Amino acid sequence: MISTDALRELLPEGRVFDDPDVLAAHSRDRATFCPAGTPAALVRAYDTDDVAAVLKWAHENRVPVVPQGARSGLSGAANALDGCVLLSLEKMDAILDIDPDEQLAVVQPGVVNGVLAAAVAEKGLFYPPDPGSRSISTIGGNVSTNAGGMCCVKYGVTGDFVRGLEVVLADGRVMRTGRRTAKGVAGYDLTRLMVGAEGTLGVVTEVTVALRPASAQPLTAVAFFPEVAGSARTVSGYLAEGYQPSVLEFMDASSVKAVQQIADLGFPEGMAAMLLVQSDRGADAPADLAAFERVARAMGAAEVVVSDSAAEGEMLMQARRLVGDAHEKLGKALLIDDVCVPRRHLVDLVEGLQRIAEEHRVQVLCSGHAGDGNMHPVVAFDDGDADETARAQKAFDAIMQLGLDLGGTITGEHGIGQLKREWLGHELDEAGLWASRAIKAALDPHNVLNPTRVLP
Amino acid sequence: MISTDALRELLPEGRVFDDPDVLAAHSRDRATFCPAGTPAALVRAYDTDDVAAVLKWAHENRVPVVPQGARSGLSGAANALDGCVLLSLEKMDAILDIDPDEQLAVVQPGVVNGVLAAAVAEKGLFYPPDPGSRSISTIGGNVSTNAGGMCCVKYGVTGDFVRGLEVVLADGRVMRTGRRTAKGVAGYDLTRLMVGAEGTLGVVTEVTVALRPASAQPLTAVAFFPEVAGSARTVSGYLAEGYQPSVLEFMDASSVKAVQQIADLGFPEGMAAMLLVQSDRGADAPADLAAFERVARAMGAAEVVVSDSAAEGEMLMQARRLVGDAHEKLGKALLIDDVCVPRRHLVDLVEGLQRIAEEHRVQVLCSGHAGDGNMHPVVAFDDGDADETARAQKAFDAIMQLGLDLGGTITGEHGIGQLKREWLGHELDEAGLWASRAIKAALDPHNVLNPTRVLP
């Protein structure tokens, strides 16, 4: 066990915590079924020097370090390891610069996504990446998982907006990657290597993000389908026609019902699926939504509502955002999956989920970013029942296998973390695993940065 | 010296060439002032197996391998090294798949950019990255340099469109990276690590690119300025208002004059700079260009022409594309630079270029992707004059230093290659250089893949 005294000597006062209750309160992110170890200490970093001092010390003393943001992740990447230092970046939460001329912002990793989005909106700018956790998750965490969200279908994911980083390497050296300019190809893309690495290759201490001009106020439509297949076909059919919605989301009957129990939006009953679409193309948006209605009805939609009010549109978006909370209120344990498939296989995915639910006798709810083919099937089960729990875990695995079988990926936006690391070996080939391990060993030779995460 | 017999035994007939004339004809890309060595052999790969066999053999025998596409690069990355195997991917030029539903294409590396763009356009799709070399350069080369172009200001660079790769690693193992789906975060971003690595980390043998729906036919405007500063201020001012042109290009007086000598477009005389702008936002395009005219006139434009004909717009774009040829027709040696600066510093950049030209008594022409802040200053000089040549090289270096001093990068889209590798140490910090070298050593321990390129 490490001595926290050594850490205290390295750092300014008030940075190091070892009270067992404090440690226990910080030992987990939001992944279920991910074991968490007992940390030796929690360090709250207030600046890059703090981070560098911790990593230099950890590197020299071979102590595992688990970087943490808001611990809102869903893959266990921020769970404690036995004897580790939890390195919290939450207090590094300053927005250092918002530059409207260059359309970029420079932030510390602890800035909450929604706080940044609101701050740039005040200057007429737009930070698109909008994970479902945006009200609580941090930019550092978003970068480390390459987080997605609802806007990705048009605007791309977190990594598409990261221009440069300050990263502390495993041995405590500070590295600047990337650039502030719109373009740049000087050397290897160390920025993108760090994005999505879940804290295993370095600790992000500053992020330069690209912004966009504010988009037009979106128009919103919803469509309800008596058959799930019709909704999936609507997604692929609409996009294949060349439309570029800013949001295109799916909710199955169970998800709609769960949301209705929190906020009754008067959705029709007896429907199997709902799609929610937005267009932010200004004068072209009404035509975009009219086309959506045409496609949806051709694919069997029983009801399509095109909203002409921004307030109503926002209310419908809130309903979509409530899905996570609504699922949690079911009173069951949840295993949240994150497969992404080619859009033409959305039908096969949703039909496959029904088979998996039946075969393993568990409930599988589903919502997701249908426009990207990125769905979040959720296995809901009674975790007091060992047999049902075992079946739930089998269903969870079967969903990943289904995603792979359909030419997709086991994770569209949540990351590998601890939850899916054994599955990474199913998705990557041998050479890819070798290259990943070689890079990890080269940049973190003593394996102190979030060891046992990501790589199987 | 290696025996080409050994290579011939490994490969099907007709792959290996060692005729000195053939080798000499393949020993250079289009960079000036980059020495080229004498290769031992040229291998024309016809499939991934050929590439794997060459690399496995080279790895075992410690023979340097220089991957080549169309040799249209401007950084010397494809120049021969003494005793190397030139590994040409030009014959791997099949478009393997164009998938309109998923909006992606799968191609071999030797497919010419313009061929792919035309093929997808026939299916109502759009492959945006459009380097100036698009009629001759290959997708493999575009990936290896992370090539840009005129559309980047709105649509992004090559790397933004690469979803997945097949890459042969240094030891001959074949690795698949990335995905076919819209999103995916499984493991490290090996795709983006290979993009822009200029053949030093692996040889790309297949590329999966994202496509977009076809854009609306663009509208075009040009503006002429008596002072260069006015044009630079127009760029930053127009973009700061939130407009998103699909093209925003700059040409200085010398570039305009050189183009006029190839094709007289009736441009006004006595102007210091020209901007060319396009909007492809359909019904919104006229308003976009009206706003451009307003900003340009406020910044001192003497003449603004908004074209209402697609044919005229295409003619103006052709004029911009002719700049490279026009510069070559000046009958001077050229050193083509590629700095990218924050847009607000475009004024400082163009003013700095004038100072550099005066100080070193050489001509500095300039054109570029002003909307990205990515400019191509070109030092034109008499290479029969040793003193002028030495001054030209100093001017070339001074331009890179100016780019760095203005918060920019030494290369926006052409890459480091051989030409700028000593300068990479000025842009990256020590930790960044260390990390880059560590990754190179991990993935190519015998340093056979394009050694001495990129890293100083």
Side-chain angles (χ1 to χ4, degrees), chain A residues 56-143:
Chain A
K56 183 170 185 293
W57 174 86
H59 179 77
E60 286 165 359
N61 293 280
R62 316 286 195 264
V63 178
V65 175
V66 177
Q68 294 187 329
R71 291 177 293 110
S72 56
L74 293 167
S75 72
N79 279 8
L81 295 162
D82 281 335
C84 80
V85 173
L86 298 173
L87 179 56
S88 171
L89 286 301
E90 266 186 310
K91 297 290 184 190
M92 291 179 66
D93 63 352
I95 295 176
L96 301 172
D97 187 19
I98 297 175
D99 185 336
D101 290 346
E102 303 299 325
Q103 296 172 352
L104 61 80
V106 183
V107 304
Q108 291 187 315
V111 172
V112 169
N113 177 303
V115 171
L116 174 63
V120 306
E122 274 182 25
K123 305 200 178 214
L125 293 163
F126 175 31
Y127 178 65
D130 60 345
S133 59
R134 73 183 309 179
S135 64
I136 52 166
S137 66
T138 64
I139 297 297
N142 295 172
V143 167

Side-chain angles (χ1 to χ4, degrees), chain A residues 63-394:
Chain A
V63 178
V65 175
V66 177
Q68 294 187 329
R71 291 177 293 110
S72 56
L74 293 167
S75 72
N79 279 8
L81 295 162
D82 281 335
C84 80
V85 173
L86 298 173
L87 179 56
S88 171
L89 286 301
E90 266 186 310
K91 297 290 184 190
M92 291 179 66
D93 63 352
I95 295 176
L96 301 172
D97 187 19
I98 297 175
D99 185 336
D101 290 346
E102 303 299 325
Q103 296 172 352
L104 61 80
V106 183
V107 304
Q108 291 187 315
V111 172
V112 169
N113 177 303
V115 171
L116 174 63
V120 306
E122 274 182 25
K123 305 200 178 214
L125 293 163
F126 175 31
Y127 178 65
D130 60 345
S133 59
R134 73 183 309 179
S135 64
I136 52 166
S137 66
T138 64
I139 297 297
N142 295 172
V143 167
S144 293
T145 54
N146 197 7
M150 290 201 269
C151 290
C152 303
V153 65
K154 179 166 179 180
Y155 294 105
V157 297
T158 299
D160 298 319
F161 291 84
V162 179
R163 286 196 181 169
L165 297 170
E166 181 186 79
V167 179
V168 182
L169 293 172
D171 60 6
R173 277 183 294 177
V174 180
M175 171 172 84
R176 284 204 164 264
T177 74
R179 57 206 153 74
R180 282 175 75 102
T181 51
K183 290 159 73 180
V185 295
Y188 301 149
D189 195 341
L190 300 172
T191 306
R192 285 298 279 253
L193 185 62
M194 292 293 159
V195 171
E198 305 186 45
T200 63
L201 298 179
V203 177
V204 172
T205 49
E206 190 185 291
V207 186
T208 301
V209 295
L211 305 171
R212 295 176 58 95
S215 293
Q217 181 81 46
L219 283 189
T220 308
V222 287
F224 297 90
F225 297 81
E227 307 283 344
V228 176
S231 67
R233 290 197 183 96
T234 297
V235 171
S236 44
Y238 183 58
L239 294 171
E241 287 193 22
Y243 290 96
Q244 295 178 65
S246 50
V247 165
L248 182 45
E249 296 287 312
F250 168 89
M251 288 164 67
D252 72 357
S254 311
S255 301
V256 172
K257 194 174 155 196
V259 167
Q260 283 270 102
Q261 284 171 356
I262 295 183
D264 185 359
L265 293 159
F267 290 155
E269 298 204 350
M271 293 291 119
M274 170 182 140
L275 291 178
L276 184 154
V277 65
Q278 289 196 320
S279 169
D280 62 2
R281 295 204 311 135
D284 293 318
D288 290 349
L289 296 196
F292 174 79
E293 177 165 6
R294 168 177 53 75
V295 175
R297 290 202 186 277
M299 301 295 180
E303 192 171 333
V304 182
V305 182
V306 179
S307 169
D308 51 10
S309 125
E312 190 181 41
E314 185 46 38
M315 193 182 68
L316 291 165
M317 284 289 279
Q318 285 298 346
R320 169 64 185 91
R321 291 196 193 101
L322 280 174
V323 166
D325 290 345
H327 286 166
E328 282 183 14
K329 292 214 170 162
L330 294 173
K332 290 190 162 190
L334 306 174
L335 272 166
I336 302 169
D337 226 321
D338 175 40
V339 292
C340 187
V341 298
R343 288 188 298 254
R344 69 158 60 83
H345 291 311
L346 278 171
V347 174
D348 308 305
L349 180 68
V350 293
E351 291 178 354
L353 293 176
Q354 287 167 3
R355 280 199 307 277
I356 288 169
E358 286 161 20
E359 185 182 336
H360 298 282
R361 289 176 289 127
V362 287
Q363 190 180 5
V364 179
L365 312 150
C366 190
S367 62
H369 316 304
D372 288 322
N374 183 201
M375 301 287 256
H376 296 311
V378 175
V379 185
F381 60 101
D382 175 2
D383 59 356
D385 178 335
D387 181 64
E388 188 169 334
T389 301
R391 282 185 275 117
Q393 289 190 292
K394 278 185 185 156

